[in-house]
Amino acid sequence: MNYNKKTVRDIDVAGKKVLLRCDFNVPMAKDSSGVITDDKRIVAALPTIRYLLENGAAVIACSHMGKPQPSFDKWVQKQTEKGKDPATLTEAKWQKSLAELSLKPVAARLAELLEMPVIMAADVVGEDARAKAAALQPGQILLLENTRFEKGETKNDPALARAMADMADLYVSDAFGAVHRAHASTAGVADYLPAVSGFLIQKELDFIGGALANPKRPLVAILGGSKVSSKIGVINNLLEIADTIIIGGGMAYTFSAAQGGKVGDSLLEADWMDYSNEMVAKAAAKGVKLLLPVDTVIADRFAPDAAQQVVKAGEIPDGWQGLDIGPETVKLYCDAVKDAGTVIWNGPMGVFEFAAFAKGTEAVAEALSKTEATTIIGGGDSAAAVQQLGYADKMTHISTGGGASLEFMEGKELPGVACLLDK
Ligand code: ADP
Ligand code: MG
C-alpha cells in the first residue's frame, strides 16, 4: 500500500464545501443523559477542522456512532437474539435506541471547543442535511447525523456515497479509527470526489507507515496481549520487517507450551501451538532475533489480589497461571530495546489492569521512554496501558485507531487510505 497520500495542505480548500469524515464515536454515559464521558476524539479532530475553516472552506462533518440498527425488523431480531422478550419490543423503544446514538451531544461539545456555532442536521442525506449543506457558507460547520442511521453506510452503498458526495466539492478523511472499513462515508464517497487526508490520518501514515516501509534500524517489535490467534497477521507481517521480535503477554504461554513447557492454567490456545513453533522456525531461518520470556509472574487465580510468585518459563505448577513477565525477562526485554532505532509495540506484557501484574508492561514502557528510538504504540489496550501508566507523552506516536492500527501493522490495505489521492 502507498502511504504517501495527499493532505489538506496539498489541495486548495478555499470556497469549497468539504465533506469531512471524523471519528466522533465517543463513549457516552450509560444513563441516556447524552453526557460524553471522554471527548478525546473530538479534541483530536480540531486541528483539521480549524485548518479547513481558517482556509475558507465550509465544513460538512460526519461520523458514525455506535451500532444503531437502521431497520426496526432487524432491531427486533437482534434484541430477540440477545434474549429480550419480543412482546416488549416496540417501535418507540427502537426509536429511543436510535436517539441515544444521535450526534447531537457531539455537535454541542464541538461548538464549545471551537467557540462557534455548529449547525446540526436532522439526517445524513435527507432533506434537512441537503438544505443545510446547500446554505452553508465558508467558515461555517455543519454536522450530519450518525452515518449508520443510513442502511447503506456499512454496505458501502454507492447511492448513499453519491448522495453524500453530492453535497460537497471535496472529501477529507480524518477518521483513522474507521479506515479499515470500506463503508460509504469512509471509502465509497471517494469514488465521486477528490479525496485527501486530514492531519490525524497523515500522522498515522507518517509514523506507522514510515516504520513499516522504511524504519530506522534496528527495528524491534514487541508483541503481547491476550491471544496468538488475534495477532497472527501482525506476527507474520512484522517477521518480514523486524530485526528483533519480543513476545510477551498471554500469547507467550502458547509459545511456551508448544516448546514442551508447563503452563498450568495460563491462557493457552492449543490450536495455535504448531503455528507458534513455525514462527520460531521462520524467525531463525530469516535471522530475526525472537525473544520469549525466561520467567513469569504467576497467580493462584485471575484476580487483582491473587497470591503471586515468580517461576521459570515453562515451569508453571498446576492451579497457577502466568499473568505477567518476570523480572529476568524484564531485564532481557529492556536491554533489547535500548539500542533500537524504531520500536513498534502492540499488546501489553501482562494483565496491566491489575496493578500487581502491571510491572512488566510498565518496565517496558519506561524502557521505551528512555530510548532514542522512534516509539510507536498500536492497539486499543496497549494505548490504554501506556496512558494509564503515565508514559503517553514520552512516546513518539500512539495510534488512535485500535482495529485500524492492528490491520495497518498486519500490512493489510486500508480501504479508507487506499481511496485517497496519491502524492
Ligand atoms: P491490543 O488491544 O493493544 O491489541 P490485546 O487486545 O491483544 O491488545 O490484549 C490486551 C489484553 O491482554 C489486556 O486486557 C491484558 O489484560 C491481556 N493480557 C495480557 N497478558 C495476559 C496474560 N498473561 N493472561 C491473560 N490476559 C493477558
Ligand atoms: Mg484489545
Side-chain angles (χ1 to χ4, degrees):
M1 193 172 74
N2 182 358
Y3 307 128
N4 207 6
K5 295 294 182 177
K6 281 194 177 166
T7 79
V8 283
R9 289 194 202 281
D10 300 316
I11 203 158
D12 185 15
V13 303
K16 301 242 171 81
K17 284 196 177 133
V18 175
L19 179 68
L20 173 65
R21 179 53 156 99
C22 299
D23 181 2
F24 289 149
N25 185 26
V26 289
M28 308 279 282
K30 296 264 182 286
D31 60 2
S32 316
S33 58
V35 171
I36 295 166
T37 53
D38 182 351
D39 66 357
K40 229 187 291 131
R41 287 180 172 168
I42 305 177
V43 172
L46 296 175
T48 301
I49 295 174
R50 288 205 177 103
Y51 176 89
L52 292 171
L53 294 173
E54 281 162 14
N55 284 279
V59 175
I60 305 168
C62 68
S63 171
H64 76 283
M65 160 97 81
K67 290 186 178 151
Q69 211 39 263
S71 108
F72 176 60
D73 292 344
K74 254 293 192 47
W75 177 78
V76 170
Q77 187 195 323
K78 290 267 168 194
Q79 293 296 311
T80 313
E81 278 166 20
K82 281 189 200 162
K84 296 262 165 66
D85 175 4
T88 65
L89 299 173
T90 61
E91 184 118 8
K93 277 193 188 157
W94 168 60
Q95 291 287 357
K96 187 164 169 266
S97 78
L98 291 182
E100 282 169 3
L101 293 174
S102 165
L103 285 179
K104 276 186 211 131
V106 172
R109 183 70 189 122
L110 190 55
E112 281 170 19
L113 290 165
L114 288 170
E115 298 181 327
M116 63 179 278
V118 171
I119 304 162
M120 184 68 209
D123 43 33
V124 184
V125 289
E127 229 170 90
D128 191 59
R130 286 194 315 244
K132 283 172 177 162
L136 203 66
Q137 297 300 311
Q140 290 188 328
I141 176 166
L142 165 71
L143 178 61
L144 304 180
E145 253 305 357
N146 189 345
T147 51
R148 290 192 188 165
F149 286 175
E150 288 288 336
K151 270 205 260 312
E153 164 71 336
T154 55
K155 297 192 180 100
N156 196 4
D157 174 12
L160 175 62
R162 173 109 223 199
M164 295 186 83
D166 279 347
M167 293 188 280
D169 310 304
L170 172 68
Y171 173 65
V172 174
S173 178
D174 218 15
F176 183 71
V179 289
H180 56 313
R181 303 195 171 108
H183 291 174
S185 73
T186 61
V189 284
D191 286 344
Y192 307 102
L193 288 174
V196 300
S197 80
F199 300 128
L200 278 179
I201 289 193
Q202 184 198 1
K203 194 167 169 246
E204 300 277 356
L205 295 180
D206 282 354
F207 284 113
I208 306 185
L212 295 175
N214 190 19
K216 201 170 147 226
R217 294 194 180 270
L219 168 62
V220 180
I222 308 176
L223 302 174
S226 49
K227 292 180 174 172
V228 180
S229 57
S230 64
K231 299 294 165 74
I232 316 152
V234 183
I235 304 175
N236 259 332
N237 189 42
L238 290 176
L239 252 178
E240 300 294 330
I241 317 172
D243 301 292
T244 301
I245 294 200
I246 292 175
I247 304 276
M251 68 159 89
Y253 305 101
T254 297
F255 280 81
S256 174
Q259 296 181 348
K262 291 207 327 220
V263 297
D265 294 343
S266 306
L267 208 61
L268 171 67
E269 290 177 290
D271 289 352
W272 291 95
M273 281 162 53
D274 287 345
Y275 172 84
S276 57
N277 276 337
E278 275 167 38
M279 288 300 109
V280 172
K282 194 169 165 192
K286 284 184 160 298
V288 174
K289 210 189 284 172
L290 189 132
L291 302 179
L292 292 166
V294 292
D295 60 353
T296 180
V297 180
I298 57 172
D300 63 349
R301 64 207 159 92
F302 188 85
D305 58 346
Q308 59 164 272
Q309 53 173 312
V310 176
V311 296
K312 282 202 184 124
E315 297 182 9
I316 303 176
D318 290 343
W320 290 73
Q321 54 189 297
L323 294 188
D324 197 7
I325 53 174
E328 287 304 317
T329 308
V330 164
K331 267 188 222 146
L332 183 73
Y333 288 4
C334 291
D335 219 46
V337 299
K338 224 189 283 155
D339 299 315
T342 308
V343 182
I344 299 182
W345 183 11
N346 169 246
M349 295 291 98
V351 182
F352 72 95
E353 294 93 337
F354 299 160
F357 303 98
K359 290 197 190 81
T361 303
E362 175 152 28
V364 167
E366 193 193 352
L368 291 202
S369 74
K370 286 182 180 154
T371 61
E372 299 289 307
T374 302
T375 49
I376 292 163
I377 318 296
D381 293 293
S382 309
V386 168
Q387 234 120 33
Q388 184 188 310
L389 297 168
Y391 290 91
D393 54 353
K394 302 267 169 50
M395 303 299 163
T396 313
H397 178 65
I398 300 181
S399 179
T400 51
S405 67
L406 276 190
E407 292 199 18
F408 204 165
M409 290 185 285
E410 287 173 8
K412 280 197 189 151
E413 177 166 291
L414 304 168
V417 171
C419 71
L420 305 177
L421 293 169
D422 290 334
K423 242 195 192 158

